[in-house]
């Protein structure tokens, strides 16, 4: 289903001229003369349903007076006009008017008197009603032309809210800019670019918490980024989550190369921020890439992943020092066993011995998920701040010799 969610403003009844009309220039260049843009948008968009929200003094009568048949429901129309002027329209009256408005508009209509959204409680009421009315995966358009000015901000919030809670698709947000009228024409602007920016902000926060590069793919594709390059982000996320660092880096280097070219739309605003988050893939060696990923995992408090990658970076360095292949499992195992034997025999500085076994024991305790044998490990696992500080210190000490 496709629906247009629109707000009603207050009536501007002039005893001499009646309701103020405007000739709106729609995005495709066509025009429509109406006192209420929502009606014209509903016809132009050919939506299946119209959701109209307004306060007790909004111009509900406009929906009737400009579309109902001559003499239709005369007493009810007069009652509606009177209640609008008194600011006392309620849902009970709208329920009585509803069939007439629906016949006039030729499509299902949802009408509701909403509070003025003065505070969080009133704002939540509006969002809760929308969540009840909007079906899952519904396609929505918003019109924020009329109504209180702050309702435009609420509509943008509602769009994000419905995307998250109802899996809705927000097709567009329209605003008839009466103050920008020229030559008798009022332009209808699209404000959904603001939603695109909000989606990017949300995606960056999601990535910083989860490390999932795939969250950026649909945003980039929407702005014309090549689909095959966007899919590299999804594949990179899979490879990194399964600790396949080389193929993850390869996928991200492909994306980084594409990001050298300016992007379109909201994506361009975030191109540099995205590049920063992918930059680890340019690390000069596997050890450097593992080290950077370990520190990034630690920054989002993924302690186990940080310990795993920090230890793997240490083993990679050991392979390189011995001239062994860091990409070969047998060589990595042999290098790690040799390092452990050398540490036990005192062939390395005390700081390295302490750092390695601390990282190893913390990694094992978190990976196995059973109470650790050592009290000092238990103490670290009981304090997130101490654990984070200790992991960072040991990872830095063990990998600072990175070639």
């Amino acid at each position: 289903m496709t629906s247009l969610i629109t707000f009603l403003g207050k009536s501007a009844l002039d005893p001499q001229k009646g309701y103020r009309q405007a000739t709106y220039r729609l995005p495709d260049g066509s025009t429509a003369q109406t006192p209420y843009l929502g009606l014209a948008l509903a016809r132009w968009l050919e939506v299946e349903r119209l959701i109209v929200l307004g306060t007790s003094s909004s111009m509900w009568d406009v929906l009737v007076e400009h579309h109902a048949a001559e003499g239709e429901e005369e007493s009810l129309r007069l009652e509606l006009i009177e209640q609008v002027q008194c600011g006392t329209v309620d849902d009970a009256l709208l329920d009585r008017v509803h069939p007439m408005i629906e016949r006039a508009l030729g499509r299902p209509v949802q009408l509701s008197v909403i509070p003025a959204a003065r505070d969080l409680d009133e704002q939540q009421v509006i969002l809760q009603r929308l969540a009840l009315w909007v079906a899952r995966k519904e396609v929505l358009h918003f019109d924020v032309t009329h109504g209180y000015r702050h309702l435009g901000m609420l509509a943008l919030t509602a769009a994000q809210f419905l995307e998250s809670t109802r899996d809705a698709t927000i097709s567009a947000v329209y605003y008839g800019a009466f103050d920008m009228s020229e030559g008798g024409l009022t332009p209808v602007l699209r404000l959904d670019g603001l939603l695109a920016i909000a989606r990017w902000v949300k995606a960056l926060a999601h990535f910083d918490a989860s490390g999932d590069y795939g969250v950026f793919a649909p945003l980039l594709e929407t702005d014309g980024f090549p689909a095959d390059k966007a899919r590299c982000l999804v594949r990179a996320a899979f490879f990194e989550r399964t600790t396949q660092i080389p193929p993850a880096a390869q996928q991200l280097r492909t994306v980084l190369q594409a990001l050298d070219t300016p992007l379109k739309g909201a994506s361009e605003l975030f191109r540099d921020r995205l590049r920063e988050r992918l930059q680890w893939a340019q690390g000069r060696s596997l050890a450097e890439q593992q080290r950077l990923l370990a520190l990034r995992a630690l920054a989002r408090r993924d302690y186990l992943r940080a310990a795993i990658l920090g230890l793997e970076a240490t083993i990679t360095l050991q392979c390189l020092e011995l001239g062994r292949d860091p990409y070969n499992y047998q060589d990595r195992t042999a290098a790690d066993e040799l390092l452990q034997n050398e540490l036990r025999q005192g062939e390395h500085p005390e700081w390295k011995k302490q750092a390695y076994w601390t990282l190893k024991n913390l990694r094992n305790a978190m990976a196995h998920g059973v109470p650790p044998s050592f009290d000092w490990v238990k103490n670290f696992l009981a304090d997130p701040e101490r654990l984070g500080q200790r992991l960072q210190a040991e990872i830095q000490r063990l990998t600072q010799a990175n070639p």
Side-chain angles (χ1 to χ4, degrees):
M1 176 180 286
T2 60
S3 295
L4 171 65
I5 298 175
T6 179
F7 294 89
L8 272 175
K10 284 192 173 184
S11 295
L13 185 59
D14 184 310
Q16 303 300 320
K17 299 181 180 179
Y19 290 98
R20 184 173 63 179
Q21 295 270 349
T23 301
Y24 292 99
R25 185 177 65 244
L26 299 169
D28 65 351
S30 62
T31 61
Q33 188 178 57
T34 177
Y36 175 44
L37 178 60
L39 298 177
L41 282 175
R43 290 191 295 269
W44 179 66
L45 293 168
E46 297 182 344
V47 295
E48 298 170 84
R49 180 177 61 154
L50 186 63
I51 299 175
V52 185
L53 307 176
T55 65
S56 57
S57 59
S58 293
M59 51 182 184
W60 296 103
D61 45 345
V62 171
L63 294 176
V64 176
E65 293 306 301
H66 287 263
H67 295 275
E70 181 70 26
E72 183 182 10
E73 300 279 3
E74 187 75 23
S75 61
L76 181 56
R77 291 160 61 185
L78 291 174
E79 181 182 354
L80 179 61
I81 293 172
E82 181 181 351
Q83 296 295 337
V84 167
Q85 293 175 359
C86 295
T88 55
V89 176
D90 57 19
D91 284 330
L93 178 56
L94 292 183
D95 286 343
R96 294 164 55 201
V97 174
H98 179 270
M100 180 168 41
I101 293 178
E102 213 167 59
R103 285 196 303 271
L105 299 183
R107 58 176 48 83
V109 178
Q110 178 74 56
L111 309 174
S112 181
V113 174
I114 59 171
R118 298 179 183 88
D119 53 31
L120 179 59
D121 288 341
E122 292 188 351
Q123 293 154 12
Q124 287 179 327
V125 167
I126 299 170
L127 295 180
Q128 288 167 347
R129 290 189 189 179
L130 287 173
L132 287 174
W133 295 330
V134 171
R136 291 194 63 80
K137 299 185 180 298
E138 188 165 352
V139 177
L140 300 175
H141 304 263
F142 278 81
D143 167 33
V144 297
T145 304
H146 305 282
Y148 295 121
R149 291 186 179 181
H150 68 284
L151 290 179
M153 297 178 63
L154 180 65
L156 290 174
T157 302
Q160 297 172 70
F161 173 71
L162 294 171
E163 280 185 327
S164 298
T165 61
R166 305 302 294 159
D167 199 17
T169 297
I170 310 303
S171 181
V173 179
Y174 298 98
Y175 173 65
F178 193 82
D179 292 341
M180 297 174 63
S181 299
E182 291 184 1
L185 291 178
T186 298
V188 176
L189 311 180
R190 286 190 60 163
L191 303 182
D192 32 296
L194 299 176
L195 273 180
I197 293 172
R199 292 184 189 114
W200 264 102
V201 172
K202 181 180 178 181
L204 287 172
H206 176 84
F207 170 78
D208 289 341
S210 68
D212 179 11
Y213 306 105
V215 72
F216 301 119
L219 301 178
L220 289 166
E221 284 193 67
T222 296
D223 287 337
F225 195 72
D228 59 330
K229 301 296 190 299
R231 284 194 294 272
C232 288
L233 289 165
V234 178
R235 288 194 290 269
F238 167 74
F239 288 134
E240 188 183 322
R241 283 170 173 169
T242 54
T243 325
Q244 301 180 73
I245 306 306
Q250 182 182 24
Q251 296 293 321
L252 293 183
R253 284 194 293 269
T254 299
V255 178
L256 282 166
Q257 185 177 8
L259 290 176
D260 287 339
T261 302
L263 303 175
K264 297 178 181 179
S267 295
E268 176 59 19
L269 289 174
F270 297 91
R271 180 162 60 104
D272 290 342
R273 304 288 82 76
L274 180 56
R275 288 181 62 87
E276 289 172 5
R277 286 159 173 79
L278 309 186
Q279 204 59 40
W280 70 265
Q282 302 284 38
R284 293 173 297 170
S285 68
L286 175 61
E288 173 69 2
Q289 293 168 359
Q290 290 168 327
R291 182 182 75 86
L292 292 173
L293 286 174
L295 296 175
R296 176 171 289 176
L298 194 56
R300 63 175 182 266
R301 297 180 179 270
D302 188 347
Y303 303 111
L304 174 57
R305 188 166 187 79
I308 291 172
L309 288 167
L311 199 59
E312 293 303 316
T314 303
I315 296 170
T316 299
L317 286 172
Q318 179 73 358
C319 283
L320 295 174
E321 291 176 7
L322 296 173
R324 302 216 176 175
D325 183 1
Y327 299 100
N328 181 277
Y329 175 77
Q330 286 76 21
D331 281 1
R332 292 185 68 85
T333 301
D336 188 29
E337 291 175 350
L338 178 60
L339 176 59
Q340 292 182 37
N341 290 332
E342 290 175 347
L343 290 170
R344 293 188 184 99
Q345 296 169 15
E347 297 181 21
H348 291 278
E350 185 63 24
W351 69 261
K352 187 170 185 177
K353 176 181 178 181
Q354 180 184 14
Y356 177 86
W357 290 116
T358 296
L359 187 58
K360 183 88 167 180
N361 279 293
L362 289 172
R363 193 282 307 267
N364 289 344
M366 290 186 286
H368 298 316
V370 296
S373 302
F374 303 112
D375 287 340
W376 67 268
V377 177
K378 293 179 183 178
N379 292 336
F380 277 115
L381 294 182
D383 188 332
E385 294 304 320
R386 289 187 63 210
L387 176 61
Q389 292 170 4
R390 191 59 179 267
L391 285 172
Q392 182 168 12
E394 307 306 13
I395 291 170
Q396 293 280 33
R397 293 171 76 187
L398 288 167
T399 61
Q400 63 185 355
N402 176 42

